[in-house]
Amino acid sequence: MTEGEQEEAWLTEAGLATLFDESATDGEDSIVFLSTLTRTQAAAVQRRVETLNQTLRKRNKPHSVPDVRDIFKPSSSSENTADVTSPERSLGDTPEVQTLGNGAGPEAQGGGADNETDINLEVSFSEQALIYKEGLKVAQPRREADDRLPDFKVSQDKTGQTRAGDLSTEDMKKVRRLVVIEMSALFDTCGIEMKTHKALKMKVKESGLFGVPLPTLLEQDQRRIPGTKVPLVLQHLMSHIEEQGLDIEGVLRIPGAATRVKSVCQEMEQKFYDGMFPWESLKQHDAASVLKLFIRELPFPLLTVEYFTAFLSVLKLPTKKQQLQALNLLVLLLPEHNRDTLKALMEFFQSVIDHKDKNKMTLNNVAVVMAPNIFMCKGFRNKISEQEEFAMATGTANIVRLLIRYQNLLWTIPKFILNQVRKQNTENQRKMNRDRAVKKLLKKMTHDREKTSDKPEKNTEAEGFIRVQAPQFSMVSMAVQLTDDLKASDVLTRFLTQERSVTVKREDLCLFETGGNIKERCLDEETYIRALLELNPSAELVLKSVNHAQG
């Protein structure tokens, strides 16, 4: 993209197109959104707006982009707009920085080497990078070779971890906007330029198995099995290897015979959806070659054209921890079908590695073998020379190593992002309540005052009980005593004990947090209910069966 196009595309993806296009509508209150940004996030927005203004001046175009001082000036329309980051304040005096200064967490202290492996999900990654850059972090980064990667520790959050896919569509849209800004803020803070790219325009197949775009492939799979999240052909290939090939030496590394692999692909195209493909005769090395071919033949890369270069730039970040933080954000930026498919592949690679004593496929071996398939997609190979491809090999293998090794961390939504979403929802709700109150005054309606109150109703009943809703089941609600150590897992156990007629499996049952400052969130089983209700006092707890099926 040219200068100016980059900034316009970035602002659009961040949900801030109204800053340069008055006709744009994103359905969100930009003032409320901007009020939740940290100083580094605000600085990232400022940088793009200023660059766009300069570009428009050079081109002698009408100057329609507002000045950053107007964008970040405090507003009296919201109670919390004192936190809106002005250009001056964005460089030092936000609540997040004050928290850091008060010593909230290991990143604020810059202390001993043990902190090198502590992952802080409560403070913005770009803020942590700024603290590191300013010299408060004294320990030097260590380079790890082969399979020897550190065990990064994430402190237990009593309100529970949130995985990609646990939130409602509305809240995930907010997450994505914040992640776009946080990702750029992290790279900006580290002095690394991150460019995105336009999607490739090419003719693509509209049906079949190989060389078909992921959305098209999943659409045809979902017509057969609703809820499919990972292409069925890929699932079958991985399952075939897991069932019979994990102990075979060199699985994934030793290729199948080229003529046989070509024949297998042709037969799959003809017989897969009819259920007539002879899986029992498929050799394991051939299956692995077909799996790699499937990934390579995707017309658009699994890591997307837009963020392909950003993935390659991750290793420029100065510490392993910052590289993981960047990967975490990039994974969250992937479209849902890419993210789910990539996760299924990483889980499969880990299964292969778990049998390394027999198959000799260590983390490093798997990464070296699979990186070229993930990073050398069909459309991208035409744009790169063999020499460039060779130079990329080591770096891409290191990125795949990180994706496999830390997949449980990389597919989670950092708490600081989720807290920003909660702030947005709270402010939007307050604004709606005020609007309702004004309308009711105009209509001289004084009833239903509770709905217009800014004070949330606590989800607690007399004598320390809470009520859990279960609308899908015969026992539509259940009273549970609220104690300090009550977890979501305890609620699930209690329900399954009392609901005798339930046929849903434990792993397909989830306790949801709904309402208040979140639309809907599936809770992990280690969530402490009291801590959650302190964070979101007006939340309802709802039990639902969920579809975890990938096919």
Side-chain angles (χ1 to χ4, degrees):
M1 298 184 190
T2 61
E3 191 175 26
E5 285 183 333
Q6 282 272 355
E7 287 69 32
E8 288 185 356
W10 187 91
L11 289 167
T12 299
E13 193 172 13
L16 296 171
T18 51
L19 295 184
F20 67 88
D21 182 1
E22 293 180 357
S23 65
T25 56
D26 53 29
E28 297 286 346
D29 190 326
S30 293
I31 294 178
V32 170
F33 177 72
L34 292 168
S35 73
T36 66
L37 301 185
T38 68
R39 59 173 175 175
T40 46
Q41 291 171 352
V45 175
Q46 290 171 216
R47 180 181 178 187
R48 272 78 190 170
V49 170
E50 288 171 347
T51 301
L52 182 56
N53 270 327
Q54 292 169 5
T55 303
L56 292 175
R57 290 191 194 100
K58 289 177 184 177
R59 297 176 184 172
N60 295 319
K61 287 191 174 183
H63 187 64
S64 60
V65 182
D67 190 278
V68 292
R69 289 168 294 187
D70 295 326
I71 296 172
F72 290 102
K73 68 182 179 182
S75 168
S76 59
S77 62
S78 171
E79 290 180 6
N80 280 0
T81 47
D83 291 340
V84 178
T85 325
S86 67
E88 294 80 9
R89 194 176 180 192
S90 69
L91 298 177
D93 195 26
T94 62
E96 288 78 7
V97 178
Q98 294 167 359
T99 301
L100 280 169
N102 291 333
E107 293 295 339
Q109 302 300 322
D114 288 345
N115 289 338
E116 287 295 325
T117 56
D118 290 341
I119 297 291
N120 187 345
L121 299 178
E122 298 193 14
V123 177
S124 160
F125 295 157
S126 54
E127 293 285 348
Q128 295 181 37
L130 187 59
I131 296 296
Y132 184 97
K133 186 177 180 180
E134 290 174 347
L136 297 181
K137 199 74 175 171
V138 294
Q140 294 299 313
R142 298 187 296 269
R143 293 193 175 274
E144 304 291 343
D146 196 39
D147 292 357
R148 297 185 295 276
L149 290 172
D151 291 323
F152 283 98
K153 298 175 291 185
V154 178
S155 58
Q156 184 182 14
D157 178 9
K158 286 197 168 187
T159 61
Q161 282 194 338
T162 306
R163 297 160 299 182
D166 284 349
L167 295 180
S168 66
T169 302
E170 297 95 324
D171 282 341
M172 275 306 295
K173 181 181 177 181
K174 295 183 178 72
V175 167
R176 180 176 174 79
R177 294 176 66 187
L178 288 162
V179 169
V180 167
I181 297 174
E182 174 64 18
M183 182 77 213
S184 298
L186 177 59
F187 274 77
D188 287 354
T189 303
C190 295
I192 300 170
E193 187 175 11
M194 185 186 74
K195 289 189 175 181
T196 55
H197 301 273
K198 291 180 179 179
L200 299 171
K201 292 183 179 180
M202 61 171 66
K203 288 186 177 181
V204 296
K205 291 173 61 179
E206 297 181 359
S207 63
L209 300 178
F210 300 93
V212 180
L214 265 182
T216 305
L217 189 55
L218 283 170
E219 186 177 333
Q220 66 186 25
D221 286 350
Q222 288 165 358
R223 287 197 291 266
R224 292 165 173 83
I225 303 180
T228 300
K229 296 182 178 180
V230 176
L232 294 175
V233 64
L234 183 60
Q235 289 187 58
H236 278 76
L237 286 166
M238 293 187 296
S239 295
H240 183 74
I241 297 172
E242 286 178 330
E243 290 170 5
Q244 303 178 29
L246 291 181
D247 291 338
I248 296 178
E249 185 171 342
V251 65
L252 296 185
R253 179 176 59 81
I254 299 175
T259 54
R260 206 163 55 227
V261 169
K262 183 178 180 180
S263 176
V264 166
C265 291
Q266 292 173 345
E267 192 172 6
M268 272 190 181
E269 289 278 14
Q270 297 169 1
K271 300 180 179 180
F272 177 75
Y273 283 121
D274 294 334
M276 302 300 292
F277 181 79
W279 289 97
E280 65 281 356
S281 63
L282 179 62
K283 298 180 182 298
Q284 298 304 315
H285 292 303
D286 291 350
S289 291
V290 173
L291 182 147
K292 289 186 281 188
L293 180 68
F294 171 85
I295 300 170
R296 290 198 307 274
E297 288 296 304
L298 288 172
F300 305 105
L302 193 56
L303 304 180
T304 73
V305 172
E306 291 83 352
Y307 290 101
F308 203 87
T309 303
F311 273 96
L312 294 174
S313 300
V314 162
L315 295 178
K316 296 178 182 177
L317 292 162
T319 70
K320 192 73 69 182
K321 186 188 297 187
Q322 289 174 355
Q323 292 168 14
L324 283 183
Q325 291 169 339
L327 280 178
N328 185 191
L329 298 171
L330 281 168
V331 165
L332 294 176
L333 285 176
L334 293 176
E336 185 177 1
H337 42 263
N338 295 60
R339 187 170 60 235
D340 291 339
T341 301
L342 183 63
K343 184 64 165 71
L345 277 172
M346 297 305 114
E347 290 173 348
F348 167 68
F349 295 157
Q350 188 58 57
S351 295
V352 173
I353 294 165
D354 290 342
H355 291 73
K356 62 185 177 183
D357 290 342
K358 292 186 177 180
N359 61 35
K360 310 303 180 186
M361 296 300 294
T362 63
L363 171 61
N364 193 58
N365 290 341
V366 171
V368 168
V369 168
M370 294 307 304
N373 299 281
I374 293 173
F375 280 89
M376 293 296 114
C377 64
K378 186 176 182 180
F380 188 72
R381 283 200 304 274
N382 300 330
K383 309 290 183 181
I384 190 172
S385 67
E386 288 186 13
Q387 185 176 3
E388 290 173 318
E389 184 175 339
F390 180 78
M392 286 171 56
T394 301
T396 55
N398 283 333
I399 294 168
V400 173
R401 287 170 64 220
L402 296 177
L403 287 170
I404 299 171
R405 176 71 170 79
Y406 302 110
Q407 57 184 284
N408 290 334
L409 171 65
L410 298 179
W411 267 259
T412 61
I413 299 171
K415 188 176 180 180
F416 73 90
I417 292 284
L418 191 59
N419 284 344
Q420 288 178 288
V421 171
R422 290 183 187 276
K423 289 178 184 177
Q424 290 179 43
N425 288 337
T426 298
E427 286 303 305
N428 287 328
Q429 187 62 44
R430 284 176 175 167
K431 185 177 179 181
M432 289 175 59
N433 287 340
R434 292 190 190 96
D435 291 345
R436 289 194 195 113
V438 170
K439 289 179 181 179
K440 287 183 179 182
L441 283 172
L442 292 174
K443 294 178 180 180
K444 297 182 179 180
M445 295 175 65
T446 58
H447 67 285
D448 203 15
R449 293 176 183 175
E450 292 78 10
K451 290 184 179 180
T452 63
S453 172
D454 282 348
K455 294 182 180 180
E457 294 181 8
K458 291 189 176 182
N459 185 356
T460 55
E461 296 185 354
E463 299 179 1
F465 280 83
I466 58 170
R467 185 153 294 277
V468 177
Q469 307 297 325
Q472 292 181 348
F473 306 99
S474 59
M475 184 171 61
V476 295
S477 68
M478 176 179 67
V480 180
Q481 187 172 8
L482 183 61
T483 61
D484 288 342
D485 58 354
L486 179 70
K487 296 182 181 180
S489 59
D490 301 323
V491 176
L492 295 178
T493 300
R494 174 83 173 272
F495 175 77
L496 290 171
T497 301
Q498 294 187 6
E499 177 77 357
R500 300 296 183 183
S501 62
V502 68
T503 57
V504 66
K505 296 179 181 178
R506 167 69 178 258
E507 58 267 26
D508 292 334
L509 189 66
C510 185
L511 182 63
F512 284 83
E513 166 197 4
T514 65
N517 55 35
I518 208 78
K519 296 292 184 182
E520 183 176 82
R521 181 171 77 112
C522 180
L523 303 178
D524 77 54
E525 294 199 8
E526 292 302 307
T527 302
Y528 285 82
I529 303 302
R530 187 183 292 279
L532 175 67
L533 293 177
E534 289 174 355
L535 180 65
N536 189 3
S538 57
E540 287 190 358
L541 300 177
V542 182
L543 276 164
K544 297 181 186 178
S545 60
V546 292
N547 181 15
H548 288 298
Q550 293 181 336

